Amino acid sequence: MNNWWINAILALLFWPGLLSGALFGWFLLWMSRKFIARLQGRQGPPFYQPFFDFWKLIGKKTIIPNGVNPVLFYALPIIGLISIIFALALLPVPGSSGISFEGDLVLLIYLIEMPVLMDVIAGYVTRSVYAQVGATREAILTIAYNLPFLGALIALAVRLHSFKLATFAAAPISIATILAAVALFVALLAQLKVNPFSIPNAEQEIVAGIHVEYNGLPLALFELTHALETSLLVGLISILFIGPFTSIWMKLLIFFVVAVVVILLTNITAAGTARLKVQHAFKFYWTWGIAATVLVVAAALIL
Amino acid sequence: MPYKLPLGPLHPAFEEPYKLTLSCKGEIVEDAQVEVGFVMRSIELLAQRRNYIRDLVLVEHVCGICSNVHASTMAMAVEKIGGITVPDRARYIRTIMGELERLHSHLLWAGIGAEDIGYHSMFMEIYFLRERVMDILEAISGNRVNYGMISLGGVTRDITDPKSILAMAEEIKKGLEKVVIPIFTQDKTIIARTKGIGTLSKDDALMYGTVGPLARASGIEEDIRESFPYAAYDDLGFKKVVLDSCDVQARVVVRALEMMESIRLIEEALKNLPSGPIRPEQVPLTIPDGEATARSEAPRGEVFYYVKSNGTDTPARVKIRTPSFVNIPSIRAMVKGQYLADMPLIQASIDPCCSCTDR
Amino acid sequence: MSNIFSRLIQTSRRRSPWVYRINAGSCNGCDIEVAPCFSPRYDGEQIGAVLQGSPKHTDILLISGPITLRTQEMVKDVYQQIPSPKAVIALGSCPASGNVFHGSPTIVGSAEAVIPVDLYVPGCPPRPQAILEAIQKASVMLEKGETRSQREVSHE
Amino acid sequence: MDDRIIKLMEQTGLEKPEERIDGIWFASQTIDRQKLADSVHKLELRLSTATCLERGDGEFDVLYHFVHGSLALNIRVTTKNQHLPSLAAFLPSASWIEREMNDLYAVEFDGHPDPRPLVRPAQVPAGFFRKSVAESLLKESEAK
């Protein structure tokens, strides 16, 4: 019993939770920026950039906008952050001492949706018309990208007869897993809000989108949540590929390599495209998303 | 539920302060109100208190992007009143500066337009090329912005080494042909974001009195460089670009093709640069009684100057009409029924310049 | 422990200057020289500088133009929206002296009269290199607590 | 002379054209704004801008500049008690031009559909480009 608690706390705070999740997320975000900069013929930021961006925001004074409930103003990013830490702790990364039980996938999906929900609420409560437009767009996009995202995860669960994430990580690589990874990748573009699906953050028409009124510590927490979300969502794709390997170091290596490849692919897509409008993005997910889902489900059931 | 979305006066999509109040229903824009005047510096009033030499510097600051054309149009009006003839070499150098300015302005616009549809990589490509144009401008005038090249009756600095400039121009031409023109005219995401968006019919364009690439993209055949040539355009020959699809894409293509024509004019002028002085030996400080108008084609369209002189060294009245002053009101005709996400691009497609509009 | 934290935050202020730009009646000359600062040739991202769309996310305010009467209140408002610590850089000759617009009845002619300015960048317009240098200097000022927003707070 | 000018003279009753190096100049006190607007629209002439000049006797000259290609046409009218009939009521492109003239010289345009200030800041009085007003304002601001 005692052991279980210690393991859970280790998973939440160190591996794969807060500390390593943040470091890994920051690393992935830095790599995105650097890679895009190099593609555009620039030098790009030094590798510690996201780390210092976070600490600088912590050190700034926080201005609570007029007419906004201060408790709600702070609570939203904190709830989002806590849910994403718990979600990370569920991730069966190699060497994790974390919690694992039948049905943890359902909990994970719920926890992943929390920060998005908090974002949308944050957009509405800050009483800025820009944030509200951004929140509407994010809400619409959530409905769209969840189709391939949930479709892929459910198809895998059906195939493996299990709703346990550890089973996913232990499963051998098959056509179904690869298709599922592709579907997850398609959803990832919108989940990370990169081009061509960056419309909720479209700086040019709605200033800074949902977080336009946020500043200082709460903004830093949102940024941290974003970093953790990045490592979680990329990690979720990575664990599909570590099944066949037995040595923990090999598993770690594959986990890391797949994550880097996924981030690079994301950024190649982002650098080569313009921003799509909401209705275009929605249409994209409802046509290609359905196609991908059907394909994954078919592969899961037949192959 | 209809709501009002204010864009500006300070907004990341706008280079300058002006206010666009959109009445929206969901993501659809129903109407727009434009408010200008934030950059009012009373340049016309100041010009009526300073002598002609200081005025040329002052009117350059009407707009930092098309500074040269303001100075040269003011000089043209004053030269008409004073009967000053401009030497051939100066006419050619004025043309070269005018076309270089057009190149840098169109590239600047293209970069901002790319940013407005969230295409950062294209912004970077275009700004990389634009730096080459800035290099030429710096090599000729010694400055990157606000060149101070125009004097009454001529220009202040000579082009001493046309060959090296020609080589640099060649490089820009390659960049335009390989990068900018294909992106502008063929890139799928760009076409998806621009085709059929922000239509301004020919009738509306006439009614609002629009000028420049905006008017030419709506089928109005008007380019002063061709219809009423000044500087060296008569000698060099000029072909205007007119399209009639009236949407944002047409404006993109018109500007892209205009850049090719500009680079041709620059090369032609550099190759045939006449020898001789760059300004008359003696330029009078006082200008005789009289009034004159002058027009020339700035990157954004027709610039109009009216100068009245009362025989002293200070003009009695300087009236400046800039292209954006007539182009900006036409936003209203373009936005009805468009998506909110297209608004930054639509307002950018007319290339609004508020420091011109307000003066 | 708190010492390490405050040191970390100070360093991060130097490493991560987020920039917001206001055009307060400029002729555009300064503004079109800000955009190249973030383009391939000059690339401000190397020193961590990023252009931000909202004043609430900003550390350094770039202000250009002679401050026209109609932008005066907007400038004050934006300055107040920026969470401290913050630095203000006045770009070009206009916010320093009014430049060629000196004497016009519709301008204030001095940024100092409206908000506290930390750094002036000379030039009409200043070159991108000079603008980037100013951003870097301002971020060092933020690190050392030398900006006027920081000093005026500590006096209180 | 250009056909279009002759047609315009027939349609609007303008007379005594003066040809100069930079176009045709007319002076008229009685021109009908609606006829002028209809006629220039038919001939595809664009209203480039209008200039306001101080005459010195308390009244103002307003020059309407029309252009099309190489054709430049200037029509001079004079205010009565600083009032003029509005052209914007018939020609939308005149709207901003007349609003601006009202800001700068306090010339009233009767029948303007939208007579709000355009560029004038609230801190300065309407007509601040007039010599008398400008002198005092400039002295004040130069003293600062």
Side-chain angles (χ1 to χ4, degrees):
Chain A
M1 190 63 198
N2 229 355
N3 222 0
W4 191 85
W5 273 108
I6 292 169
N7 280 348
I9 286 169
L10 276 178
L12 281 173
L13 293 184
F14 297 104
W15 175 256
L18 183 61
L19 184 69
S20 56
L23 291 177
F24 190 51
W26 282 332
F27 172 74
L28 292 179
L29 288 178
W30 164 74
M31 214 168 58
S32 313
R33 282 172 70 176
K34 182 80 178 173
F35 184 62
I36 285 190
R38 296 306 298 164
L39 282 182
Q40 292 168 343
R42 294 185 290 127
Q43 280 302 318
F47 78 93
Y48 45 70
Q49 196 59 52
F51 173 75
F52 280 129
D53 285 350
F54 172 75
W55 283 109
K56 181 208 62 187
L57 285 174
I58 293 275
K60 290 209 71 143
K61 205 176 151 215
T62 307
I63 301 175
I64 297 169
N66 278 344
V68 176
N69 183 345
V71 178
L72 201 58
F73 193 69
Y74 281 102
L76 291 172
I78 293 174
I79 296 173
L81 181 65
I82 291 175
S83 343
I84 209 76
I85 292 173
F86 271 92
L88 259 176
L90 291 176
L91 199 68
V93 293
S96 161
S97 56
I99 324 131
S100 180
F101 49 88
E102 186 58 50
D104 57 2
L105 174 66
V106 181
L107 182 60
L108 179 92
I109 289 170
Y110 168 75
L111 288 173
I112 285 179
E113 283 312 305
M114 281 305 275
V116 181
L117 194 61
M118 293 305 126
D119 261 359
V120 173
I121 297 174
Y124 276 106
V125 298
T126 47
R127 291 168 180 270
S128 155
V129 72
Y130 303 120
Q132 286 171 0
V133 173
T136 316
R137 287 175 176 181
E138 173 136 3
I140 293 173
L141 213 54
T142 313
I143 302 169
Y145 69 67
N146 265 328
L147 192 71
F149 182 69
L150 296 180
L153 289 179
I154 291 168
L156 275 179
V158 169
R159 181 181 163 80
L160 300 171
H161 305 292
S162 165
F163 274 88
K164 195 175 173 184
L165 280 163
T167 328
F168 282 31
I173 301 174
S174 66
I175 295 173
T177 26
I178 291 171
L179 280 175
V182 170
L184 288 180
F185 172 74
V186 170
L188 181 72
L189 293 173
Q191 283 168 322
L192 295 183
K193 295 189 209 96
V194 296
N195 263 355
F197 305 111
S198 58
I199 194 85
N201 287 348
E203 185 181 89
Q204 309 300 333
E205 65 239 46
I206 50 173
V207 189
I210 292 159
H211 301 145
V212 64
E213 291 293 327
Y214 269 91
N215 57 68
L217 180 69
L219 181 66
L221 296 182
F222 270 128
E223 297 280 320
L224 181 62
T225 311
H226 184 62
L228 293 173
E229 242 181 328
T230 310
S231 31
L232 173 66
L233 294 168
V234 173
L236 198 58
I237 299 179
S238 289
I239 58 159
L240 297 180
F241 293 93
I242 57 173
F245 304 95
T246 45
S247 129
I248 184 165
W249 295 112
M250 199 59 198
K251 278 184 188 231
L252 270 179
L253 182 70
I254 296 294
F255 181 83
F256 192 74
V257 168
V258 174
V260 168
V261 168
V262 167
I263 276 292
L264 292 188
L265 285 176
T266 318
N267 287 304
I268 289 174
T269 322
T273 47
R275 181 184 298 132
L276 284 179
K277 282 186 267 182
V278 169
Q279 63 271 31
H280 287 161
F282 197 79
K283 218 168 114 195
F284 174 89
Y285 278 111
W286 277 75
T287 47
W288 292 103
I290 286 181
T293 314
V294 168
L295 213 60
V296 178
V297 173
L301 294 178
I302 297 160
L303 292 173
Chain B
M1 192 184 77
Y3 62 98
K4 281 203 159 101
L5 185 71
L7 295 186
L10 297 173
H11 192 273
F14 302 166
E15 279 287 298
E16 300 159 86
Y18 82 104
K19 196 170 174 187
L20 204 58
T21 311
L22 305 173
S23 315
C24 307
K25 218 176 205 175
E27 290 257 328
I28 308 280
V29 179
E30 294 190 317
D31 198 4
Q33 288 288 335
V34 191
E35 207 181 302
V36 296
F38 295 94
V39 200
M40 173 80 181
R41 289 149 298 168
S42 317
I43 288 180
E44 287 176 15
L45 186 65
L46 293 174
Q48 282 145 223
R49 295 174 56 85
R50 298 182 184 174
N51 65 29
Y52 290 101
I53 295 164
R54 293 176 70 196
D55 273 354
L56 285 180
V57 179
L58 180 65
V59 296
E60 275 203 329
H61 291 78
V62 168
C63 174
I65 304 174
C66 43
S67 55
N68 184 68
V69 81
H70 282 286
S72 70
T73 317
M74 167 101 185
M76 270 160 64
V78 178
E79 283 152 12
K80 266 183 202 166
I81 306 175
I84 306 165
T85 39
V86 182
D88 283 347
R89 193 173 173 90
R91 283 197 296 126
Y92 273 69
I93 294 176
R94 280 186 185 184
T95 312
I96 292 167
M97 286 304 289
E99 291 307 316
L100 280 171
E101 191 171 71
R102 193 180 319 278
L103 268 183
H104 109 75
S105 171
H106 280 3
L107 285 171
L108 179 91
W109 167 83
I112 292 168
E115 191 84 326
D116 283 349
I117 55 171
Y119 206 157
H120 297 283
S121 304
M122 188 170 122
F123 167 84
M124 295 297 171
E125 279 292 344
I126 288 168
Y127 265 65
F128 185 72
L129 187 64
R130 182 171 170 272
E131 283 301 316
R132 312 295 304 170
V133 183
M134 301 309 274
D135 286 344
I136 302 192
L137 282 167
E138 196 175 347
I140 294 176
S141 73
N143 208 356
R144 287 163 56 94
V145 181
N146 296 342
Y147 318 104
M149 278 291 281
I150 307 292
S151 71
L152 277 189
V155 290
T156 52
R157 287 167 75 112
D158 199 0
I159 296 180
T160 44
D161 186 9
K163 264 203 193 115
S164 69
I165 309 257
L166 207 55
M168 285 156 96
E170 188 65 32
E171 239 176 88
I172 294 169
K173 192 179 179 179
K174 267 190 209 137
L176 281 176
E177 275 169 351
K178 276 196 193 134
V179 184
V180 178
I181 306 283
I183 296 181
F184 269 34
T185 50
Q186 286 155 24
D187 187 284
K188 283 211 178 82
T189 24
I190 306 261
I191 291 176
R193 284 300 301 264
T194 56
K195 203 173 174 76
I197 303 280
T199 313
L200 179 73
S201 68
K202 187 175 176 182
D203 245 17
D204 278 343
L206 265 178
M207 208 173 69
Y208 281 101
T210 56
V211 291
L214 176 65
R216 287 195 285 279
S218 287
I220 296 179
E221 307 217 356
E222 175 92 281
D223 192 320
I224 306 169
R225 287 173 288 172
E226 188 182 79
S227 54
F228 193 46
Y230 55 97
Y233 290 106
D234 223 359
D235 312 358
L236 297 168
F238 174 75
K239 256 207 198 96
K240 62 174 177 275
V241 186
V242 180
L243 288 181
D244 53 7
S245 51
C246 306
D247 53 2
V248 174
Q249 201 204 355
R251 285 163 221 153
V252 172
V253 174
V254 163
R255 291 202 175 92
L257 298 178
E258 262 186 19
M259 282 195 266
M260 291 311 289
E261 183 66 17
S262 288
I263 199 93
R264 186 193 70 80
L265 283 168
I266 292 166
E267 287 185 338
E268 199 83 1
L270 280 169
K271 277 177 199 153
N272 303 320
L273 201 60
S275 53
I278 55 167
R279 57 176 174 266
E281 294 227 327
Q282 200 83 52
V283 179
L285 286 176
T286 56
I287 302 295
D289 244 340
E291 57 184 349
T293 61
R295 293 190 279 153
S296 51
E297 187 78 16
R300 288 166 183 70
E302 179 192 304
V303 169
F304 179 98
Y305 267 71
Y306 168 87
V307 179
K308 186 179 165 69
S309 151
N310 55 7
T312 61
D313 63 349
T314 309
R317 178 83 174 103
V318 179
K319 169 74 193 173
I320 307 165
R321 201 300 310 267
T322 57
S324 295
F325 191 85
V326 285
N327 284 349
I328 288 181
S330 72
I331 289 182
R332 225 180 145 191
M334 290 182 223
V335 299
K336 284 179 189 161
Q338 302 286 329
Y339 284 100
L340 178 61
D342 289 327
M343 281 314 299
L345 188 64
I346 291 175
Q347 66 86 22
S349 77
I350 66 164
D351 205 353
C353 174
C354 296
S355 70
C356 284
T357 309
D358 308 341
R359 302 177 301 283
Chain C
M1 191 65 187
S2 72
N3 218 346
I4 297 174
F5 266 116
S6 64
R7 184 78 210 109
L8 179 64
I9 283 169
Q10 276 170 5
T11 312
S12 65
R13 280 180 188 152
R14 170 162 54 88
R15 296 284 191 190
S16 161
W18 287 1
V19 179
Y20 185 75
R21 173 177 68 78
I22 316 186
N23 173 334
S26 109
C27 74
N28 272 342
C30 297
D31 302 83
I32 61 172
E33 291 295 71
V34 172
C37 287
F38 300 92
S39 76
R41 190 181 280 187
Y42 305 104
D43 190 28
E45 214 181 359
Q46 285 176 76
I47 56 167
V50 182
L51 266 187
Q52 286 291 337
S54 160
K56 301 239 158 128
H57 301 178
T58 308
D59 306 302
I60 296 175
L61 179 67
L62 294 180
I63 180 160
S64 59
I67 326 267
T68 56
L69 291 180
R70 274 180 81 173
T71 49
Q72 193 181 355
E73 288 307 311
M74 284 159 35
V75 170
K76 267 188 205 156
D77 187 42
V78 165
Y79 180 76
Q80 258 145 32
Q81 279 187 41
I82 301 176
S84 41
K86 52 197 165 187
V88 177
I89 300 176
L91 282 187
S93 312
C94 292
S97 65
N99 200 5
V100 288
F101 310 119
H102 175 75
S104 158
T106 50
I107 64 165
V108 179
S110 151
E112 191 61 54
V114 183
I115 50 172
V117 177
D118 291 305
L119 267 177
Y120 287 94
V121 191
C124 181
R127 282 161 194 261
Q129 293 97 321
I131 297 173
L132 281 178
E133 195 198 356
I135 291 175
Q136 197 149 28
K137 268 189 193 159
S139 54
V140 171
M141 286 173 88
L142 280 170
E143 181 190 23
K144 293 187 180 157
E146 285 173 351
T147 65
R148 291 176 59 179
S149 75
Q150 288 160 309
R151 275 186 294 161
E152 272 151 34
V153 167
S154 57
H155 282 309
E156 273 167 16
Chain D
M1 199 183 300
D2 202 300
D3 302 347
R4 286 171 295 184
I5 298 292
I6 297 167
K7 263 195 201 138
L8 186 87
M9 284 163 64
E10 280 166 10
Q11 283 163 0
T12 58
L14 282 171
E15 50 193 8
K16 289 195 223 128
E18 186 190 342
E19 268 187 273
R20 294 196 208 153
I21 175 171
D22 57 347
I24 317 265
W25 295 69
F26 285 103
S28 162
Q29 283 321 307
T30 52
I31 184 157
D32 184 280
R33 299 299 193 278
Q34 173 138 40
K35 272 188 191 159
L36 177 66
D38 288 348
S39 178
V40 293
H41 192 72
K42 263 184 231 152
L43 300 170
E44 289 201 358
L45 282 167
R46 289 181 292 110
L47 175 62
S48 183
T49 191
T51 311
C52 194
L53 296 172
E54 232 173 328
R55 284 169 65 94
D57 56 358
E59 296 296 331
F60 298 87
D61 274 345
V62 172
L63 302 173
Y64 287 101
H65 308 284
F66 294 93
V67 294
H68 182 237
S70 60
L71 181 69
L73 171 75
N74 309 281
I75 300 172
R76 184 188 300 262
V77 294
T78 310
T79 56
K80 261 196 198 118
N81 299 326
Q82 295 147 22
H83 276 256
L84 268 184
S86 167
L87 183 61
F90 312 103
L91 201 64
S93 54
S95 173
W96 275 28
I97 298 166
E98 292 185 347
R99 277 168 71 184
E100 194 197 43
M101 263 192 276
N102 183 258
D103 284 346
L104 305 185
Y105 286 97
V107 175
E108 295 290 335
F109 288 90
D110 303 324
H112 193 290
D114 181 22
R116 289 172 300 148
L118 181 73
V119 292
R120 177 171 61 87
Q123 294 94 327
V124 294
F128 67 101
F129 268 33
R130 288 184 182 186
K131 245 187 200 122
S132 50
V133 186
E135 282 307 322
S136 64
L137 275 176
L138 285 166
K139 260 189 208 127
E140 213 175 279
S141 66
E142 265 162 20
K144 258 192 267 172

